Amino acid sequence: MGAFTWWDTAVLIVYVVGIAWVGARFGKDQESTQDYFLGGRKIPGWAIGLSVMATQASAITFIGAPGWGFEGGLERLATFINVPLAMAVLILVLVPIFHRAGIYSIYELLERRFGALTRSLAALLFLVARGLATGVVLYAPALVLSVVTGWDVNLTIVLMAVIAVSYTVLGGISAVIWTDVIQMFVLWLGAILSMVLMVSSLPGGWGDVFAYGAANGMFDTIDLSLDPTVTYSLWAGLIGGVVMHVAYFGTDQSQIQRVLTSPSIAEGQRSLLIGGYLLVPQMLLFLFIGVMLAAYYQQHGLTAPENLNELFPRYVVNAFPVGVTGLVIAGVFAAAMSSLDSALNSLSAVTVRDFYARYVRPDADERHYLKASRWATIFWGLYATAFAFFAGNLGPVIEAVNRIGSWFYGALLGTFLLAVLSHRSNGRGAVSGIIVGMAAVWSVSQTDVSWLYQNFVGLIVSVVVGYAVSLTAPAPSAAQLSDVVIDETAPDMQAILKGRSEGAAEIGRDARLTRRRCIGLVVWFFVSLTALALLQGWANG
């Protein structure tokens, strides 16, 4: 106890090597970029859903959320309470369109609708935003390894990068998803073990945790303040948070690419359904670990480290039995690699599909593109590694990633909504909307307004400006609208258009299934909100 022993090191090494070996095995039968980026479009929805969950429970969440919970209790859950609503929007609006389009990169859809310039601009923004965020994602587990081993953090950054890049280069998206499935269970096991061992070290057990949390306002999750400068109010979470998560899960290639690996629209929707029901409880779990840590530190008269990102790993090393420490730290690495691999694969996909194959070598064969994809993965691994050296200066890692995304997400989502909802918008308007929307976000970021509202501002400005500017140019052709706008692709409208055709019954079932899934997610949102309100009422009663 009190140190990272050889037994812990052995557990960690065996786990990391095992995951890397499993991931690399998926590359042996890959012959095309469809295999590398989309897994042959045959991965089941439940596996995709668990992969999405693993990515969300990244090392950023594993070490960042307990720090959040330690500092502010459950208040930051307001940022995530909206996830079921966001998933309902994606299931209803974007998943059917993306899946029917048969695309590798979602930005290909923007070229069909608006032209090459819009596609290239949106893809470039993704590369910049996701590349920077991946650097932060890499920094988080490297920090953990540095804390538990005493090695220099720059050395651990390089080690983590080599491990993640190696099996992602060899295995592609199939390696990403199936190793994520394994890592999801290791991650949950690490979190549950942490809670059990921590609560057993408190004289009053769970009673001490709830008493401390209630006495210190740590269960106050619902802040109804209308003040836009209140960062984690319910309204900031609903207005800005919904936009952020719809954009993140729907217009960020690193997330939506996994949905595109599914064999059908229904399976793609199922993958998001899993996240819609489980992401809020998962975030609650990690925030609650932070509350437990606060009670533990108070009970034992300990002083928290200055960098709260180190809080949880330091506790694990100092308090857990030999061997268990290695398993929990393996959980951190499981979380880290599940985020790194998906980001690197999606960055490679966009680089090759949206730029290299579009402008550099448009006539090359699949074998050449597969090789280029692997080299692109290595490049983005080096890019993320370089940025990771500076990530420690950005504050809490979980907030740093969300802040980076908020600079881009709103404007990008506005562009996609113009594409699928408006018949009159065109390329001139789309590009103008992105540029002005991002400028508006930058202006708001200079004020005290909650960063969550930045996503909403970017969305509204990009849609309004994009549509207005579109009126100054000719309307798009029928070919540009075909199979893109929602009134031709949504299950309900498809059922109407098919009428009495052979596929009408099947399409009607799809439409009813989609509606049921969306209604279920909305109900789950209100159930979750009610449960949090009851917890807050009990704590303040």
Side-chain angles (χ1 to χ4, degrees), residues 297-356:
Y297 269 69
Q298 189 269 340
Q299 284 272 6
H300 293 82
L302 301 175
T303 302
E306 183 176 343
N307 184 350
L308 289 181
N309 294 324
E310 300 178 10
L311 180 73
F312 189 38
R314 285 192 183 279
Y315 167 78
V316 169
V317 171
N318 292 326
F320 280 18
V322 171
V324 177
T325 300
L327 183 61
V328 174
I329 297 302
V332 177
F333 276 80
M337 288 189 289
S338 68
S339 295
L340 283 170
D341 53 20
S342 59
L344 292 173
N345 188 261
S346 62
L347 287 164
S348 173
V350 172
T351 301
V352 172
R353 295 290 301 186
D354 293 294
F355 291 100
Y356 186 77

Side-chain angles (χ1 to χ4, degrees), residues 138-192:
L138 175 58
Y139 168 76
L143 174 66
V144 174
L145 187 59
S146 175
V147 168
V148 301
T149 62
W151 299 344
D152 182 77
V153 69
N154 291 332
L155 173 61
T156 58
I157 286 172
V158 173
L159 288 175
M160 278 301 305
V162 170
I163 293 169
V165 170
S166 297
Y167 80 80
T168 307
V169 165
L170 295 173
I173 194 67
S174 295
V176 169
I177 291 175
W178 289 111
T179 55
D180 281 356
V181 171
I182 298 171
Q183 290 169 170
M184 186 70 259
F185 292 107
V186 175
L187 179 68
W188 282 341
L189 177 61
I192 292 169

Side-chain angles (χ1 to χ4, degrees), residues 424 426-430 432-433 436 463-473:
R424 185 61 182 82
N426 51 45
R428 180 189 297 179
S432 301
V436 179
V463 168
V464 171
V465 171
Y467 189 83
V469 172
S470 293
L471 298 178
T472 67

Side-chain angles (χ1 to χ4, degrees), residues 399-418:
E399 189 164 310
V401 168
N402 286 330
R403 284 181 179 271
I404 290 172
S406 70
W407 299 336
F408 306 90
Y409 282 152
L412 283 176
L413 178 59
T415 304
F416 277 96
L417 291 182
L418 283 173

Side-chain angles (χ1 to χ4, degrees), residues 124-253:
L124 179 63
L125 291 177
F126 163 76
L127 292 177
V128 172
R130 183 49 49 194
L132 294 177
T134 303
V136 181
V137 171
L138 175 58
Y139 168 76
L143 174 66
V144 174
L145 187 59
S146 175
V147 168
V148 301
T149 62
W151 299 344
D152 182 77
V153 69
N154 291 332
L155 173 61
T156 58
I157 286 172
V158 173
L159 288 175
M160 278 301 305
V162 170
I163 293 169
V165 170
S166 297
Y167 80 80
T168 307
V169 165
L170 295 173
I173 194 67
S174 295
V176 169
I177 291 175
W178 289 111
T179 55
D180 281 356
V181 171
I182 298 171
Q183 290 169 170
M184 186 70 259
F185 292 107
V186 175
L187 179 68
W188 282 341
L189 177 61
I192 292 169
L193 276 176
S194 301
M195 295 180 71
V196 170
L197 292 172
M198 199 183 312
V199 79
S200 66
S201 69
L202 298 173
W206 289 106
D208 285 349
V209 175
F210 282 101
Y212 179 85
N216 291 274
M218 304 192 85
F219 299 138
D220 293 347
T221 56
I222 300 176
D223 186 341
L224 297 176
S225 173
L226 296 174
D227 184 351
T229 63
V230 176
T231 303
Y232 300 110
S233 71
L234 178 64
W235 310 119
L238 289 180
I239 297 172
V242 167
V243 175
M244 178 179 72
H245 284 117
V246 171
Y248 175 56
F249 288 108
T251 68
D252 187 309
Q253 178 71 16

Side-chain angles (χ1 to χ4, degrees), residues 494-516:
Q494 283 285 302
I496 294 172
L497 292 176
K498 291 291 184 181
R500 297 179 180 177
S501 69
E502 293 181 3
E506 181 179 349
I507 294 171
R509 285 195 298 271
D510 289 343
R512 290 191 295 274
L513 178 62
T514 297
R515 287 197 296 272
R516 285 198 301 270

